[in-house]
Each structure stands twice: as C-alpha cells, then as structure tokens.
Amino acid sequence: MNIGFVGVGRMGGNMARRLKDRKFHITAVYDINRARATSIAAELGCAAGQDLSEVTAESDVIFTVVTDDNAVRQIFTATGDNLFVNGRGKLFINCETISPRVEIDLEKLAEEAGAQTLEACMASSITQAREGKLYLMCGGKEEAFRKAEPILKELGSTIRFIGKAGQAAKVKALVNMVMNINTAGLAEGLALGAALGLDLEMLRQVFSQTGAASRVLETDGEDMQNREHSCFFSAAHAAKDSGIAVDLARNIGLDLPLAQATKEQYDRMVKEGLGELDKSGIAELTFKDRHKHSGDHM
C-alpha cells in the first residue's frame, strides 16, 4: 500500500517516519514549506511532490496534517491543483483539528470524487507521533475506518471509532478545550504561588497529591516553573482549538465563560507574538501581569 503525507511538520513528519520504520511504503510528501518537504523526502526516500495532485496520484492512502479549516479547504478544493484530482479510489485520513462542519463537507466532496475520507483526530504530541503511541479518535464511514485501521494501529496505542463524520472532531474540540482551561488554571495557580512567596517545587508536589492534580500538571507544570516553553503544542493552535469549541457552543446557544476566557488569553499570546511558544507559555502572560502589578520578579 502506497502512503502519502500532506503536511510534514512536527506531527506529520514524525508520523511518516514511524510508518517508514514499520515498513510501510511512503511514496510522496508535500508541505507548503518546500525545504521541509524536500528534507523529509530525502530522509524517507520518497518524492517531494510539487503539486498536491501528484501526492494523490502516487498514493493509495493520503494523510493530511495541516493547520486549520482554511488550510484544509485549500488543499482539497483549490482551483486547478488539489488533493481530489486523481482522487478516485483513494482514502484521505485527516489528522488536523478542524471544525466538524468541514469534516462533514469533505466527506461529501470525497464521495463526489469517488474517494473516501476519515477523520483521525490526535490527542497526543510529537513524542507519541514518533513512537506510534498516538491517541486517535476517528469519525466517518465505518468502511473507511476498517480500511485505515491496520495503518492507524501502527501510529496509535489507542484507536477509537467515535461515529459519523464530524463526531470525532467534536470530541477533539472538547478535549482541547478542557486541556486549555486546565493549562490556564495551572498557570494562574503557579503565578499566585510565586507572588505569595511559596516554593513552586513544593507547590507542584502538593498539587499532584490533591484535587489540583491533572494531566497538564504532569506535562507542563515543571516547564511553567522553569519558564521553558519549547513547542510541542503551540499557543496559536490552542487559541484555534478553543475557538472551535466556543463556536460549537455558541451555535447551540450555550455560554462557556471559562472556555471563552481561556481562548482570549491564547488570542492575547498570539497578538503579543508568543503564538509559537508551547501552550504552557500561557504562564508568561500570568507572570507578566503579576510583575506589572507587583513590580517584582520570580
């Protein structure tokens, strides 16, 4: 089976490497960053497609790992060159976090092109992508899921079929919404602890042994304390994903004040040029605001 990748950044590149390690045939990659595409292609021994349609032509299954709704629409519907050109009989597995409506629309467009789509939303990070330990939530036609399952099992330690198109995207939006709220809450807790003169190492240990414990504390707490924000999941992506959840709530008349406040903090990071920091970098806003009012430094 020939496999192509569109989007070979931090996640897509490591997923491609993983499948190559597992003896799958990677035939073509494409990235808007041409230098990145050619570098990964050389490493994997495959073609670096000049055009999206070239990746489709060379592949039976095409993974997309791009940024947002607009990027997905562009790669699938752009005039002239797009992934559905040469798409008959092909399976497209979309791994980015996007709006459920876009996933539903893509499935319809794929059917018109004689192709299939499957959403395979990832609740994991770079290390898990490389090690084949992703948590994957899938949505679409069950036939497409069964076809993709042998490949997905090499990429993920947990593979869940959620339901029809758009359902996995809804679950992923909620996962990231709650994760982002937890991240913002932890940042505020550590900042307040620092302002009160508490030892943050001790405070993190107490958090971990009480009701303040969370997965975010495990993954981000030490980085927040040490002001180390190398990017595993960017603040810009956190802003985008919280926005998806807030929009879903707004569409059914539901107010989510915590999700909205968290989105506004991540939007502020992007506005202040901090969007490419890891999501844990939200602590920088909290510490910055603390310094503004107290005039001291951690």
Side-chain angles (χ1 to χ4, degrees):
M1 181 179 292
N2 295 329
I3 297 176
F5 272 84
V6 174
V8 285
R10 288 184 287 256
M11 293 299 288
N14 279 314
M15 293 164 68
R17 291 183 181 103
R18 168 66 181 177
L19 290 181
K20 175 74 171 180
D21 288 348
R22 301 304 293 169
K23 310 304 180 186
F24 285 87
H25 189 205
I26 310 299
T27 51
V29 299
Y30 178 97
D31 197 281
I32 194 169
N33 182 327
R34 182 66 183 164
R36 178 190 295 156
T38 55
S39 175
I40 292 285
E43 180 183 343
L44 300 177
C46 68
Q50 294 273 7
D51 300 311
L52 292 162
S53 55
E54 181 184 342
V55 178
T56 304
E58 296 290 331
S59 311
D60 303 305
V61 176
I62 301 92
F63 282 86
T64 69
V65 195
V66 297
T67 52
D68 55 24
D69 290 2
N70 289 335
V72 169
R73 290 191 182 100
Q74 180 68 23
I75 63 175
F76 279 104
T77 66
T79 302
D81 179 54
N82 65 63
L83 286 175
F84 284 141
V85 176
N86 303 315
R88 183 164 298 278
K90 307 300 175 74
L91 171 62
F92 297 91
I93 302 177
N94 306 321
C95 299
E96 51 278 315
T97 302
I98 57 176
S99 302
R101 181 73 252 171
V102 176
E103 297 284 12
I104 294 168
D105 291 344
L106 280 181
E107 185 179 71
K108 292 178 181 177
L109 290 171
E111 289 174 352
E112 292 171 6
Q116 294 176 300
T117 59
L118 182 76
E119 59 204 73
C121 306
M122 305 179 290
S124 310
S125 193
I126 299 167
T127 302
Q128 289 76 38
R130 187 66 183 87
E131 296 175 350
K133 296 179 180 178
L134 294 171
Y135 191 109
L136 295 171
M137 296 160 282
C138 301
K141 298 280 175 51
E142 188 165 357
E143 176 190 352
F145 173 69
R146 296 304 172 196
K147 183 176 179 179
E149 195 171 17
I151 309 171
L152 298 179
K153 284 182 176 179
E154 298 294 346
L155 290 171
S157 57
T158 301
I159 317 295
R160 295 194 65 140
F161 181 67
I162 305 296
K164 64 184 181 180
Q167 295 300 99
K170 291 176 184 176
V171 174
K172 177 61 190 301
L174 298 185
V175 167
N176 283 13
M177 180 192 81
V178 173
M179 175 183 70
N180 293 340
I181 291 170
N182 286 343
T183 304
L186 177 60
E188 292 189 2
L190 292 175
L192 178 56
L196 294 172
L198 297 173
D199 178 84
L200 295 188
E201 187 75 27
M202 173 276 296
L203 186 60
R204 286 195 298 109
Q205 290 177 4
V206 172
F207 281 174
S208 72
Q209 296 164 353
T210 62
S214 70
R215 177 73 175 136
V216 169
L217 175 63
E218 295 176 26
T219 59
D220 293 353
E222 185 175 2
D223 287 343
M224 287 184 182
Q225 179 182 338
N226 296 331
R227 315 291 283 276
E228 164 54 47
H229 306 303
S230 299
C231 191
F232 287 84
F233 182 83
S234 74
H237 279 112
K240 179 257 297 181
D241 294 352
S242 286
I244 292 173
V246 168
D247 286 345
L248 286 172
R250 185 182 297 117
N251 289 340
I252 59 171
L254 187 62
D255 183 34
L256 300 179
L258 292 179
Q260 181 64 46
T262 301
K263 178 185 182 301
E264 289 170 2
Q265 283 288 80
Y266 280 116
D267 285 340
R268 181 181 161 200
M269 284 187 70
V270 173
K271 186 177 180 180
E272 295 190 11
L274 304 175
E276 288 309 308
L277 290 183
D278 188 79
K279 66 177 170 45
S280 64
I282 198 170
E284 296 305 309
L285 294 184
T286 314
F287 286 124
K288 177 181 178 181
D289 291 342
R290 171 202 158 207
H291 297 156
K292 186 189 303 180
H293 289 94
S294 67
D296 64 352
H297 298 278
M298 190 175 82

